[in-house]
Amino acid sequence: IIAADVKEFIPMEQAAASPTEVGADGAPAQAAMISEPIVGAGYKDYPLSDSAREIAARLAQSKRNVPHYYLTVDLSMDEIIKMRAT
């Protein structure tokens, strides 16, 4: 994450409220950020308790409002595997 990423950040509420731009082919240039749930076979809705709703809201808020990023590391374990084999 760099300063430009933070400066260009648009909260989801503002992004959802603004109209999406249409590309040259007539398709939306930006996918909808909020989608409706899929209802059908294999899905069953269960009522949520107030505490479960509060937990879900806080988890979603922490994911949405705090900038975060993921790191990966590639390691070569060949030498260690050879050492363990002996």
Side-chain angles (χ1 to χ4, degrees):
I1 295 179
I2 59 174
D5 295 331
V6 176
K7 290 177 183 175
E8 292 174 3
F9 174 74
I10 301 171
M12 288 186 69
E13 293 84 15
Q14 290 178 359
S18 65
T20 57
E21 297 176 14
V22 177
D25 59 354
Q30 190 178 37
M33 296 181 113
I34 300 172
S35 62
E36 293 296 320
I38 300 171
V39 179
Y43 295 97
K44 182 171 181 170
D45 290 335
Y46 294 97
L48 294 176
S49 66
D50 290 338
S51 62
R53 287 177 197 242
E54 184 65 26
I55 291 168
R58 289 183 185 222
L59 284 171
Q61 179 185 20
S62 70
K63 181 74 171 177
R64 179 178 56 241
N65 295 342
V66 177
H68 55 278
Y69 54 93
Y70 303 94
L71 299 175
T72 58
V73 176
D74 292 327
L75 299 173
S76 174
M77 299 294 292
D78 296 338
E79 295 299 320
I80 293 176
I81 292 171
K82 287 180 191 175
M83 182 179 75
R84 288 186 73 177
T86 59

